[in-house]
Amino acid sequence: MAKKRYTIKDVARMAGVSVSTVSLVINKKGPVSEETRRKVLHAVHKLDYHPRRVAQGLASQKTGNIGFILTDDHFSLVEPFYTKIFLGTEVEARKYGYYIILTTVPNQFSKEHIPRFLLERNVDGVIMAGRVPEKLIAYIRDMGLPVTLVDYYNRRQKTAAILIDNIEGAYQAVTHLIELGHKKIGFVGGDLSHPSISDRLTGFKKAMEEHGLPIVPEWVITTERNTSVPSGYQAMNTLLKSGELPTAIFACNDAMAIGCLRRLKESGIRVPDQIALIGFDDIDAALQMEPRLSTIHVYKERMGALAMQQMASMLENGEQSTEKVLVPVELVIRESTARKAD
Amino acid sequence: MAKKRYTIKDVARMAGVSVSTVSLVINKKGPVSEETRRKVLHAVHKLDYHPRRVAQGLASQKTGNIGFILTDDHFSLVEPFYTKIFLGTEVEARKYGYYIILTTVPNQFSKEHIPRFLLERNVDGVIMAGRVPEKLIAYIRDMGLPVTLVDYYNRRQKTAAILIDNIEGAYQAVTHLIELGHKKIGFVGGDLSHPSISDRLTGFKKAMEEHGLPIVPEWVITTERNTSVPSGYQAMNTLLKSGELPTAIFACNDAMAIGCLRRLKESGIRVPDQIALIGFDDIDAALQMEPRLSTIHVYKERMGALAMQQMASMLENGEQSTEKVLVPVELVIRESTARKAD
DNA sequence: AAATAGGATCGAAACGTTTCGATCAAAGTT
DNA sequence: AACTTTGATCGAAACGTTTCGATCCTATTT
């Protein structure tokens, strides 16, 4: 039943040329006469020949695979944020003829967690999304493999990266609130050591300052350890206990915004009537909320695709790029933000 | 900077044995004296040697890769149902030393969409999740590759499969409604040609009959083309127009249940007070609803893992299994179902 | 003591490509 | 007319393993 698969030899025989000539034609290298090219391609077609990846790999010392690394918590998250980035990469990879091998590593990374595809030299390059262990980045760079980071950037490692325009996004979100007439605006964030979060805070401050609005320290919550729904809930809790409330809140991501929303509902505070709320990321859940969440849309699939493009060009040039691509975002106005009631 | 990677030759030299002996030790084949085994393993360790996958692949005619195929719409769906199955497979694959290569194919499948990893013979077996083109299954079987289906099963193709216990799940859901005192129960489904959906209808009928309750044709909606949120919305619409309403509804999946809920809210009908509602699948969104959706939990990651196990054993025995594994489900009672008000 | 069996080890072929250097013919240069 | 360049093609080595059959040694059987 299993059909016989032809090899390059069969093609060569059929076309009446040598094996190496067939290889040249297939890989579009070296000069080949129009005549032989035709003959070869005809034979290829006739036999439905496809070179075996594994053989190409051994001979050319390229596997044709790209590793895609996420940390455990990023992938197991309810929100398919990084999953979408992955998908974008996967689809783009196909265009280039690469395979993507996905793996996750624990946040508490140590030597024995080194992905097998690195040990076995089974990838030509690595794309990593989200905050990823420092050591791992260094290890891969050390192997001489090109690296692209997505949605993360570390000042010390000189790698290529695809980044959300966090400052601009936050700026837009806060400006939106200001244009709705809000003057008392709070920031809900966490873990400022993460570059994305601190950038979003920067954007917040920039918008406030440019419009001559005061930044009230009690309304800037940055004590939460992470940026999950429960953290948002907690942060809102803190805010509620601190006397006067702001009239609008910019949460550093949708997950935290959802946490805030939940806490506000429990206190019977109406969104957006009493407090306007805007998030960041535009995860799927933002659309499920009541009210539906205004947010900053992030083009996740696009980011994944861009990472693959960057990787492909590094693979072509054979050198590690340090280019940082800033991907624009888009303000999405839904129901959780409204003109300030007076 | 790029560290030199050692090959099996280096290990052989260091251990003072032949290359073939090293191979025997590493792969735990053939008889090797304890003495040499020690020497070899010591050298392996010392040099941090790992065989290159690509070389093993060529020599052994096994790639070490498993293909994972989804249809486009399954992967781009908002609900990460199949994504979770994929994740389960991926984690399990690591234990066995396999890599997973993910790809999607269009629903309208034709010859030119054959995944590249098949043409290039870059996988040892294929796992497919969800409803998948008939032709593709046949093609792969034809290549002599083992196949496992997840959450889909076609009577004509004799393949292994990991299946949700749909009949039992539906039976439990409906029985739950009956135990709450409901007698007028509706079914919201679509596309009965899909085995999962028709099985869920079977479970519905079984529960109704066993409890001596009538199945009212007007309350059994099976006219929708698919099982999405909008279809659920539409189905509810139909139900609303048909005179008397049931007091409880079993939707064949959570997506449709969400659609129903949305429509009910628009009409100001309270769930669960006026109508109890239960879904199936336990997707993430079920937890986000207000009220939170009662449903039948499906162990998605587990199903993915089981598929990998099945694949591994087929790869070991070198033969296509036709075993069907029925994975149990679990009733999850949340807020959308309540005792019938009288 | 010779014959046999079995365990341990090894050399070499094979897997299916790419790629490098060699060869040869035709065209261009002096 | 001799020499050089260029284009087309090819043969063979190389990639790093696995695996098969051969060989050698030791222990067992007769």
Side-chain angles (χ1 to χ4, degrees):
Chain A
M1 183 60 69
K3 307 173 201 162
K4 154 117 177 97
R5 280 282 154 164
Y6 297 101
T7 73
I8 199 172
K9 275 187 192 168
D10 300 311
V11 176
R13 195 176 310 122
M14 182 167 182
V17 299
S18 76
V19 161
S20 32
T21 301
V22 175
S23 177
L24 292 180
V25 170
I26 289 175
N27 298 299
K28 300 191 177 66
K29 293 192 179 170
V32 180
S33 73
E34 197 45 48
E35 166 74 0
T36 39
R37 152 175 280 98
R38 263 203 328 88
K39 281 192 300 185
V40 169
L41 289 180
H42 179 257
V44 165
H45 216 241
K46 202 83 176 173
L47 299 179
D48 192 26
Y49 167 75
H50 297 267
R52 302 206 190 176
R53 197 75 216 212
V54 84
Q56 289 184 306
L58 186 56
S60 66
Q61 300 287 72
K62 319 237 142 131
T63 64
N65 301 326
I66 305 294
F68 193 104
I69 302 181
L70 286 170
T71 54
D72 280 342
D73 54 357
H74 280 332
F75 201 65
S76 54
L77 270 182
V78 172
E79 37 178 277
F81 187 92
Y82 289 105
T83 310
K84 288 187 173 173
I85 292 179
F86 170 76
L87 184 60
T89 302
E90 156 59 29
V91 170
E92 191 71 12
R94 239 178 284 170
K95 299 185 194 161
Y96 288 89
Y98 281 104
Y99 294 108
I100 302 289
I101 301 181
L102 174 75
T103 201
T104 58
V105 296
N107 286 67
Q108 292 306 325
F109 175 81
S110 71
K111 230 178 171 180
E112 53 273 20
H113 300 122
I114 292 171
R116 202 161 41 88
F117 58 56
L118 292 176
L119 298 175
E120 293 179 339
R121 300 244 128 180
N122 202 14
V123 295
D124 299 335
V126 178
I127 296 175
M128 312 172 87
R131 189 177 210 169
V132 104
E134 198 71 19
K135 279 186 200 165
L136 183 55
I137 305 179
Y139 180 89
I140 299 172
R141 301 278 332 255
D142 234 45
M143 287 181 70
L145 292 180
V147 173
T148 288
L149 300 181
V150 184
D151 191 30
Y152 185 63
Y153 165 48
N154 183 285
R155 280 156 201 81
R156 279 187 295 171
Q157 304 282 351
K158 294 237 162 208
T159 64
I162 307 293
L163 299 165
I164 299 171
D165 195 344
N166 285 306
I167 297 181
E168 172 64 17
Y171 179 84
Q172 280 183 26
V174 177
T175 301
H176 166 60
L177 295 174
I178 294 171
E179 283 171 352
L180 287 173
H182 295 279
K183 294 187 157 40
K184 301 176 177 177
I185 304 178
F187 175 89
V188 166
D191 195 4
L192 286 182
S193 74
H194 194 302
S196 291
I197 310 302
S198 78
D199 280 355
R200 289 175 192 185
L201 179 55
T202 303
F204 168 80
K205 287 181 176 166
K206 185 172 160 230
M208 294 298 273
E209 280 160 11
E210 276 191 17
H211 293 85
L213 295 177
I215 294 165
V216 180
E218 292 81 44
W219 293 342
V220 177
I221 311 290
T222 57
T223 43
E224 292 301 316
R225 273 251 150 263
N226 54 42
T227 54
S228 59
V229 173
S231 298
Y233 184 95
Q234 272 308 319
M236 195 63 231
N237 223 4
T238 311
L239 223 38
L240 284 172
K241 282 189 253 169
S242 73
E244 194 193 7
L245 284 178
T247 65
I249 293 174
F250 166 54
C252 75
N253 71 0
D254 288 347
M256 289 198 92
I258 290 170
C260 290
L261 182 59
R262 203 160 282 177
R263 183 67 190 80
L264 286 168
K265 277 190 182 174
E266 282 184 17
S267 289
I269 298 175
R270 291 187 314 279
V271 174
D273 306 347
Q274 294 173 273
I275 287 193
L277 183 61
I278 188 166
F280 203 120
D281 285 350
D282 199 12
I283 64 177
D284 294 333
L287 208 49
Q288 311 279 357
M289 295 296 108
E290 298 179 17
R292 293 182 299 148
L293 211 59
S294 293
T295 188
I296 300 294
H297 183 77
V298 173
Y299 294 90
K300 303 156 200 88
E301 286 89 350
R302 173 117 76 103
M303 292 180 71
L306 284 170
M308 184 60 225
Q309 287 171 20
Q310 209 178 40
M311 177 56 65
S313 88
M314 297 195 322
L315 254 19
E316 210 165 314
N317 310 334
E319 57 174 23
Q320 173 69 45
S321 145
T322 61
E323 178 197 25
K324 310 273 183 283
V325 177
L326 221 51
V327 184
V329 294
E330 194 184 325
L331 173 65
V332 181
I333 302 172
R334 297 208 181 96
E335 303 159 359
S336 69
T337 50
R339 182 154 291 281
K340 180 179 172 299
D342 21 31
Chain B
M1 183 58 71
K3 306 172 199 163
K4 153 119 176 96
R5 280 280 155 167
Y6 298 102
T7 74
I8 200 171
K9 276 189 191 168
D10 300 311
V11 177
R13 196 177 309 123
M14 183 168 182
V17 298
S18 76
V19 161
S20 33
T21 302
V22 175
S23 176
L24 291 179
V25 171
I26 289 174
N27 297 300
K28 299 191 178 66
K29 293 192 180 171
V32 180
S33 73
E34 198 44 49
E35 167 74 1
T36 38
R37 152 175 279 98
R38 263 202 329 87
K39 281 191 302 186
V40 169
L41 290 180
H42 179 257
V44 165
H45 215 240
K46 202 82 176 175
L47 299 179
D48 192 26
Y49 167 74
H50 296 267
R52 301 205 191 178
R53 198 74 213 216
V54 83
Q56 291 185 304
L58 186 55
S60 67
Q61 299 286 71
K62 321 235 142 132
T63 64
N65 301 327
I66 305 292
F68 193 105
I69 303 181
L70 286 169
T71 53
D72 281 342
D73 54 357
H74 280 332
F75 202 63
S76 55
L77 270 182
V78 172
E79 37 179 276
F81 187 91
Y82 289 103
T83 311
K84 288 187 174 172
I85 292 179
F86 170 75
L87 184 61
T89 302
E90 156 60 28
V91 170
E92 191 71 12
R94 240 179 282 170
K95 298 185 193 160
Y96 287 89
Y98 282 103
Y99 294 108
I100 302 289
I101 302 181
L102 174 75
T103 201
T104 57
V105 296
N107 286 66
Q108 292 306 325
F109 176 80
S110 70
K111 228 177 171 180
E112 53 273 19
H113 300 122
I114 292 172
R116 202 162 40 89
F117 58 57
L118 291 176
L119 299 174
E120 294 179 339
R121 300 244 126 180
N122 202 14
V123 294
D124 299 336
V126 177
I127 297 175
M128 312 172 88
R131 189 176 211 171
V132 104
E134 198 71 18
K135 279 186 200 165
L136 183 55
I137 305 178
Y139 180 89
I140 300 172
R141 300 277 332 256
D142 233 45
M143 287 181 70
L145 292 179
V147 172
T148 289
L149 300 182
V150 185
D151 191 30
Y152 185 63
Y153 164 51
N154 183 284
R155 279 154 201 84
R156 279 187 295 169
Q157 304 283 349
K158 295 236 161 208
T159 65
I162 308 294
L163 299 166
I164 301 171
D165 195 344
N166 285 306
I167 298 182
E168 173 64 19
Y171 179 84
Q172 281 184 27
V174 177
T175 301
H176 166 61
L177 294 174
I178 295 172
E179 283 169 354
L180 287 173
H182 293 279
K183 294 187 160 39
K184 302 175 177 177
I185 305 178
F187 175 89
V188 167
D191 195 4
L192 286 182
S193 74
H194 194 300
S196 292
I197 309 303
S198 77
D199 282 354
R200 289 174 193 185
L201 179 55
T202 303
F204 166 81
K205 287 181 176 166
K206 185 173 160 227
M208 294 297 274
E209 279 160 11
E210 276 190 19
H211 293 85
L213 295 177
I215 295 166
V216 180
E218 291 79 44
W219 293 341
V220 177
I221 310 290
T222 57
T223 42
E224 292 303 316
R225 272 252 152 261
N226 55 42
T227 55
S228 60
V229 173
S231 297
Y233 184 95
Q234 272 310 318
M236 195 64 231
N237 223 4
T238 311
L239 224 37
L240 284 171
K241 279 188 254 167
S242 73
E244 195 193 5
L245 282 178
T247 66
I249 292 173
F250 166 53
C252 75
N253 72 358
D254 287 349
M256 290 198 92
I258 290 171
C260 290
L261 182 59
R262 203 161 282 175
R263 183 65 190 82
L264 286 168
K265 277 190 182 174
E266 283 184 15
S267 288
I269 299 175
R270 291 187 314 278
V271 174
D273 308 345
Q274 294 172 272
I275 287 194
L277 184 61
I278 188 165
F280 202 120
D281 284 351
D282 198 11
I283 64 176
D284 294 332
L287 208 50
Q288 312 277 357
M289 294 297 108
E290 298 178 17
R292 292 182 298 149
L293 211 59
S294 294
T295 188
I296 300 294
H297 182 77
V298 173
Y299 293 91
K300 304 158 199 85
E301 285 88 350
R302 175 116 76 100
M303 291 180 71
L306 285 170
M308 184 59 225
Q309 288 170 20
Q310 209 178 40
M311 178 55 66
S313 86
M314 296 195 318
L315 255 18
E316 211 165 312
N317 310 334
E319 57 174 22
Q320 173 70 45
S321 144
T322 61
E323 179 197 24
K324 310 270 181 287
V325 177
L326 220 52
V327 184
V329 294
E330 195 185 324
L331 174 66
V332 181
I333 302 172
R334 298 208 181 96
E335 301 159 2
S336 68
T337 50
R339 184 153 288 284
K340 179 178 173 299
D342 18 32

